[in-house]
């Protein structure tokens, strides 16, 4: 019962507004972050002055920066979901190698990048899971508050029902 903080209709309306008006743009923003990282690495690779090891280090730094971008703002669920999708795509792509990647990089380098992308996606999945749980607890918190009068003032006792 969320009637004290949000009415059921208000909560449904807020969720609908988010899904319809914000989520598509957040998903697109996450896609833009991911594709910008990819294009930057491709741009550097086109100069042939970057060694494969340097290219690999820059690609992994890009993965770390994408992980940071996914953790950046609490309200941007769609950005985080899009980045998880991209990072899982990196893991899958490196699991089924193309001949070019296999010829260019060593097995250890490919495995290291795959592990970094996998860990980054797990971090972002955990972050979004914690955010959703905290939001659900925050919405439920307002309906379960009681105030006990004490001798010198009021003491608030907040609890969340399981």
């Amino acid at each position: 019962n969320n009637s004290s903080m949000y009415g059921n209709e208000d909560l449904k309306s807020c969720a609908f507004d988010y899904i319809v008006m914000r989520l598509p743009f957040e998903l697109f923003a996450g896609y833009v972050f991911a594709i910008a990282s990819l294009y930057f690495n491709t741009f550097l690779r086109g100069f042939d002055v970057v060694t494969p090891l340097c290219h690999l280090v820059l690609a992994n730094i890009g993965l770390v920066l994408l992980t940071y971008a996914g953790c950046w703002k609490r309200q941007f669920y769609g950005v985080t979901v899009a980045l998880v999708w991209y990072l899982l795509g990196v893991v899958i792509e490196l699991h089924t190698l193309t001949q070019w990647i296999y010829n260019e990089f060593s097995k250890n380098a490919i495995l290291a990048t795959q592990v970094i992308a996998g860990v980054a996606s797990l971090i972002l999945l955990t972050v979004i899971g914690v955010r959703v749980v905290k939001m659900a607890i925050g919405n439920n918190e307002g309906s379960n508050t009681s105030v006990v009068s004490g001798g010198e003032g009021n003491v608030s006792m907040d609890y969340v029902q399981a």
Side-chain angles (χ1 to χ4, degrees):
N1 183 9
N2 293 332
S3 61
S4 66
M5 189 168 183
Y6 297 105
N8 284 335
E9 294 301 318
D10 290 338
L11 190 58
K12 288 179 185 177
S13 174
C14 288
F16 180 77
D17 288 347
Y18 176 78
I19 290 170
V20 171
M21 297 197 302
R22 284 187 55 192
L23 186 62
F25 295 104
E26 290 179 12
L27 289 171
F28 185 71
Y31 169 77
V32 167
F33 284 143
I35 206 74
S37 174
L38 175 70
Y39 284 162
F40 180 72
N41 286 320
T42 305
F43 174 75
L44 290 178
R45 186 71 186 142
F47 286 117
D48 284 337
V49 294
V50 178
T51 64
L53 179 63
C54 183
H55 182 70
L56 181 69
V57 169
L58 289 173
N60 286 329
I61 289 172
L63 292 175
V64 170
L65 290 175
L66 288 175
T67 305
Y68 176 74
C71 298
W72 178 48
K73 283 285 192 177
R74 181 177 297 174
Q75 298 87 2
F76 294 154
Y77 299 106
V79 172
T80 307
V81 169
L83 292 177
V84 167
W85 181 21
Y86 173 76
L87 291 169
L88 288 175
V90 170
V91 171
I92 292 168
E93 180 68 26
L94 292 178
H95 184 67
T96 57
L97 296 174
T98 61
Q99 189 64 38
W100 179 84
I101 294 173
Y102 186 73
N103 291 341
E104 192 70 26
F105 300 102
S106 70
K107 288 182 181 180
N108 290 336
I110 293 167
L111 181 62
T113 304
Q114 190 176 18
V115 167
I116 289 173
V119 168
S121 64
L122 286 175
I123 289 170
L124 290 179
L125 280 172
T126 303
V127 165
I128 199 162
V130 168
R131 287 179 182 169
V132 168
V133 168
K134 284 175 70 175
M135 183 183 67
I137 289 172
N139 287 342
N140 195 24
E141 193 173 303
S143 63
N144 297 319
T145 302
S146 62
V147 177
V148 178
S149 294
E152 295 183 2
N154 293 334
V155 177
S156 176
M157 297 172 54
D158 295 339
Y159 63 93
V160 177
Q161 293 178 346

